[in-house]
Amino acid sequence: MTTTDTHCPYCSLQCGMRLRPAPEAAGEVEVLERPGFPVNRGALCGKGRTAAAVLSPAARLTAPLVRDRRGGELREASWDEALDRVAAGLSAVRDAHGPDAVGVFGGGGLTNEKAYLLGKFARVVLRTANIDYNGRFCMSSAAAAHRRAFGLDRGLPFPLEDIARTGCVILVGANPADTMPPALRYFRELRENGGTLIVVDPRRTRTAEQADLHLQPLPGSDLALALGMLHLVVADGRVDEEFVTRRTTGFEAARAAAMAHWPERVERLTGVPAGQLRTAVEMFTGAPEGMVLTARGPEQQSKGTDTVSAWINLCLATGKSGRLRSGYGCLTGQGNGQGGREHGQKADQLPGYRSIEDPAARAHVASVWGVDPEALPGPGRSAYELLDGLGREDGARALLLMGSNPVVSAPRAGHVTERLRALDFLAVSDVVLSETAELADVVLPAAQWAEETGTTTNLEGRVILRRRAVDAPGGVRSDLSVLHGLAGRLGVPHGFPEDAEEVFEELRRASAGGQADYAGISYARIGAEDGVFWPCPDEAHPGTPRLFLDRFATPDGRARFTAVSHRPAAEEPDAEYPLFLTTGRVVAQYQSGAQTRRVPELARAAPGPFVELHPRLAGRLGVVEGELLSVSSRRGRAVAPARVTDTIRPDTVFMPFHWGGVGRANSLTNPALDPTSKMPEFKVCAVRVERAAAAPEGRS
């Protein structure tokens, strides 16, 4: 039987897999291992193994849906009717209130081609500044810190294989055992090769259990922890003075800021014993090579950019950056979280990772698009700011949403749901009838990963090719077809092709000369080389698996220290809300769960939300395993069963964020924004926990 080499639709590993028609069932496909792909070497997690289940017509949308009146039911419609309704809804708001009254919200799971064309659609067809995407909630803090330190943002500046070959890794706020299981082998191989693993996490996760040292800080205190480590590096004479002098700037100010964070103070701020802090510094500086890798834990904070900068400072001060098997990296979360922000889906960026405020960048992209640079809008609102303004006089009154589910995934989700309901018009393109799609005036059924061809860019900066393996159901169209149809109806009949490779060829030209330069990457090269690392400026260029070995991407080629100091979370426990809440993922579900909750095997493994709490806290509350708990914050209330475990701090509770309804963790989370990245503070807020039967009614 014919097999098709492709990639998993879920996390940023973009694991290689093969699809072939199922021999027992006509029209179905089965997932096979693809051992030759270097990222996962054939290994797949449960989500990857069951990915084909969502291709079933029973699990997804198969026809457009429209609502004849507010409060009415969604009904099936033809594609012409649905696209006409979307075009009319967007036009009516634009004509009445101006172009910025129309918003566009994208997703980190969209292919590069879709993300590129969505950004072009917003700026060329709608002429709106208000486009952003859910990747803002993923690694925007790391991206901002990357840019100010190194002049360039790529999640990992080295391939995953280098992790296994370094001497010491500090893994901060990441749990790859649950979030990207095939990547765990690199950390196991690190230790098998004689290296050491330090994990920083308020919970003793399955990843932390494999560490040589586990530091268990208070949620929101990662910045103080990193500063305390740099303090000890300086105080103990462990600075790599030669590297700092030759390849960096700004060390004096960063050192002065760190010296205010002595070990005993950091112990009070973080709860991590000073002795453990010293051990961590000795392990990291004692290794000839080392890395710091962060994920959402330190990044999804109102000080996330400064926190990541503090960890970068540690790498720079110890000479563990800009060298083989050393450096700072971010473990991107979403499948195309990297590529999705490189080519124009963010409010402040144009294709090639260009600034929308740079006249030269505007001129280049406008020349590719065949428009006047002056016609391109300026920067718009970031993701939460865009959602918060929906339906208001000065905000977007109509929204085109593609591949995202903010009713479940946004912070202060009850409020975001209210804002979506306040819109004059909402259109959603998605694979399934998500909680957000249920609110829409028009729902457009989108083709999936195995039903269309397109590229994504994984966490290493490796551009890979997903290939079409099966036909979509007859009533389903690709997002590229949707944008083509809408552009024509809105008066722009050219420039929005439906063929993915044609879009990619234009993307190559638009990105040429930018930081994320794809000009030398083609579908043929990707297939022949198992992916190509950007930047790749021409077809003779080999691609760039390792960045910064000779110089950093700053004007003077030097990395920049940033002077940062500890500050508390935007909201910390008090008498009314005495506990910390932190949120995250479980191994059997993905993001808002819109797709994985529809896979029977995954739903059995993780059927619903829970509240993880320490036995001491459970004893004080008088609750036992499985008893319903009410968790309340200043923004809302969630109810879920107790999961009692000694792997979490006694002052902290944890909830996974994959479910809507009464167990929605993001009913509680704080939308306080990082001033630089505009990342909301998902990872820490103050809550009250009670037995559900005794809890008062809360806001949803």
Side-chain angles (χ1 to χ4, degrees):
M1 291 184 180
T2 301
T3 62
T4 302
D5 284 356
T6 189
H7 295 269
C8 179
Y10 293 118
C11 83
S12 64
L13 288 181
Q14 290 296 278
C15 290
M17 59 169 58
R18 287 194 173 113
L19 298 181
R20 75 176 178 193
E24 307 86 9
E28 295 185 10
V29 294
E30 58 182 349
V31 175
L32 305 175
E33 292 183 357
R34 184 180 160 194
F37 187 66
V39 172
N40 59 309
R41 305 179 217 160
L44 293 169
C45 72
K47 295 185 289 292
R49 284 188 295 98
T50 61
V54 188
L55 298 172
S56 167
R60 43 98 63 92
L61 293 165
T62 57
L65 304 173
V66 300
R67 201 184 304 274
D68 292 320
R69 65 182 189 283
R70 276 294 164 97
E73 297 296 318
L74 288 167
R75 62 166 175 83
E76 288 194 5
S78 69
W79 269 99
D80 279 341
E81 180 186 4
L83 291 175
D84 287 346
R85 290 277 294 271
V86 176
L90 299 179
S91 293
V93 169
R94 183 179 61 181
D95 293 346
H97 303 285
D100 286 346
V102 179
V104 177
F105 198 86
L110 301 181
T111 62
N112 291 318
E113 293 81 359
K114 294 179 183 182
Y116 169 80
L117 214 63
L118 187 64
K120 181 181 179 182
F121 179 83
R123 289 161 178 132
V124 171
V125 178
L126 299 176
R127 302 292 177 92
T128 181
N130 283 322
I131 174 172
D132 213 83
Y133 83 128
N134 63 14
R136 177 78 67 172
F137 300 157
C138 178
M139 56 174 294
S140 57
S141 292
H146 239 141
R147 287 196 301 274
R148 73 183 182 187
F150 307 128
L152 175 69
D153 159 46
R154 197 178 83 186
L156 293 182
F158 39 72
L160 279 163
E161 64 188 45
D162 285 4
I163 293 172
R165 300 173 182 171
T166 192
C168 180
V169 171
I170 303 177
L171 188 62
V172 189
N175 180 21
D178 280 2
T179 60
M180 47 180 67
L184 198 62
R185 69 166 57 190
Y186 293 103
F187 299 97
R188 286 198 300 265
E189 290 172 6
L190 163 74
R191 300 186 69 212
E192 291 166 2
N193 292 336
T196 54
L197 175 63
I198 301 168
V199 170
V200 179
D201 200 304
R203 304 165 63 222
R204 191 172 74 247
T205 63
R206 292 196 301 137
T207 303
E209 287 174 348
Q210 301 201 27
D212 297 281
L213 177 64
H214 175 207
L215 307 180
Q216 202 164 3
L218 282 167
S221 67
D222 308 272
L223 174 54
L225 188 71
L227 287 162
M229 291 185 70
L230 181 56
H231 175 107
L232 285 170
V233 166
V234 174
D236 295 348
R238 298 174 184 267
V239 174
D240 187 332
E241 301 284 359
E242 188 274 336
F243 177 87
V244 168
T245 299
R246 183 170 54 90
R247 298 203 58 190
T248 74
T249 61
F251 178 57
E252 294 303 320
R255 177 174 61 185
M259 297 316 289
H261 300 80
W262 57 93
E264 292 72 22
R265 181 189 178 207
V266 170
E267 179 174 337
R268 291 194 299 272
L269 292 171
T270 67
V272 174
Q276 286 190 1
L277 199 68
R278 290 188 170 91
T279 300
V281 170
E282 291 166 4
M283 292 169 66
F284 189 63
T285 57
E289 300 153 340
M291 301 173 179
V292 174
L293 305 176
T294 68
R296 306 302 80 74
E299 298 164 18
Q300 286 182 326
Q301 297 183 27
S302 60
K303 54 182 182 292
T305 303
D306 283 357
T307 301
V308 174
S309 291
W311 289 107
I312 291 174
N313 288 349
L314 180 67
C315 288
L316 295 176
T318 55
K320 292 180 168 58
S321 187
R323 292 174 171 171
L324 280 173
R325 297 177 292 277
S326 291
Y328 164 77
C330 168
L331 299 180
T332 312
Q334 297 188 79
N336 199 29
Q338 181 69 52
R341 69 182 183 278
E342 293 168 0
H343 299 300
Q345 210 180 176
K346 277 184 71 180
D348 54 352
Q349 287 177 198
L350 290 170
Y353 229 137
R354 289 179 162 92
S355 169
I356 201 167
E357 298 181 275
D358 177 2
R362 294 169 65 87
H364 172 81
V365 173
S367 71
V368 175
W369 289 350
V371 299
D372 183 347
E374 295 300 318
L376 296 177
R381 299 181 179 185
S382 70
Y384 183 77
E385 293 170 317
L386 176 58
L387 295 172
D388 182 49
L390 295 178
R392 302 185 194 277
E393 191 64 34
D394 61 345
R397 308 283 291 269
L399 184 69
L400 173 63
L401 190 147
M402 191 169 279
S404 186
N405 188 19
V407 166
V408 176
S409 63
R412 196 185 173 197
H415 169 72
V416 169
T417 302
E418 292 172 1
R419 300 321 316 151
L420 286 162
R421 287 183 172 137
L423 285 165
D424 294 350
F425 181 80
L426 172 63
V428 172
S429 178
D430 209 333
V431 170
V432 298
L433 190 66
S434 69
E435 287 84 353
T436 304
E438 289 176 350
L439 304 179
D441 297 287
V442 180
V443 182
L444 305 172
Q448 295 192 56
W449 58 288
E451 299 163 349
E452 57 186 1
T453 294
T455 62
T456 62
T457 305
N458 82 344
L459 76 170
E460 309 165 295
R462 184 194 302 259
V463 184
I464 58 96
L465 182 64
R466 292 183 189 166
R467 295 178 175 89
R468 187 177 68 82
V470 295
D471 292 331
V476 169
R477 294 186 184 179
S478 75
D479 289 318
L480 297 182
S481 177
V482 168
L483 294 173
H484 172 84
L486 290 176
R489 284 167 170 80
L490 292 167
V492 185
H494 305 293
F496 291 85
E498 298 181 70
D499 179 74
E501 189 167 7
E502 187 178 347
V503 176
F504 189 78
E505 289 301 305
E506 182 178 305
L507 183 158
R508 292 173 66 185
R509 298 194 302 275
S511 73
Q515 288 192 328
D517 192 334
Y518 284 31
I521 305 175
S522 66
Y523 276 25
R525 273 195 73 177
I526 296 170
E529 300 175 26
D530 273 334
V532 181
F533 291 84
W534 71 261
C536 183
D538 59 68
E539 292 184 359
H541 192 281
T544 314
R546 294 172 180 87
L547 296 168
F548 312 140
L549 297 183
D550 300 316
R551 71 188 310 275
F552 295 97
T554 56
D556 62 3
R558 294 169 175 261
R560 297 174 292 221
F561 281 90
T562 302
V564 294
S565 296
H566 167 75
R567 60 183 186 271
E571 179 182 79
E572 296 203 323
D574 56 21
E576 188 177 3
Y577 298 97
L579 298 168
F580 288 100
L581 169 72
T582 192
T583 64
R585 286 169 51 186
V586 298
V587 68
Q589 299 291 348
Y590 180 70
Q591 302 302 81
S592 75
Q595 295 185 43
T596 50
R597 285 186 268 124
R598 289 166 167 82
V599 177
E601 181 180 327
L602 302 178
R604 287 192 296 272
F610 57 86
V611 182
E612 189 176 279
L613 72 165
H614 192 275
R616 269 190 275 166
L617 176 57
R620 288 205 306 272
L621 296 173
V623 300
V624 297
E625 180 80 15
E627 187 172 353
L628 284 180
L629 291 177
S630 168
V631 185
S632 302
S633 76
R634 290 179 172 84
R635 290 153 296 282
R637 175 177 181 262
V639 176
R643 182 173 293 185
V644 182
T645 174
D646 64 0
T647 61
I648 193 168
R649 294 178 57 99
D651 51 14
T652 301
V653 295
F654 167 85
M655 291 188 71
F657 53 66
H658 308 291
W659 290 271
V662 295
R664 182 174 60 186
N666 278 318
S667 296
L668 309 166
T669 48
N670 191 352
L673 300 182
D674 179 287
T676 303
S677 68
K678 305 301 182 181
M679 168 73 83
E681 192 153 64
F682 286 99
K683 280 295 183 282
V684 52
C685 70
V687 296
R688 179 175 64 247
V689 180
E690 303 161 291
R691 300 173 70 178
E697 286 300 315
R699 290 156 291 175
S700 62

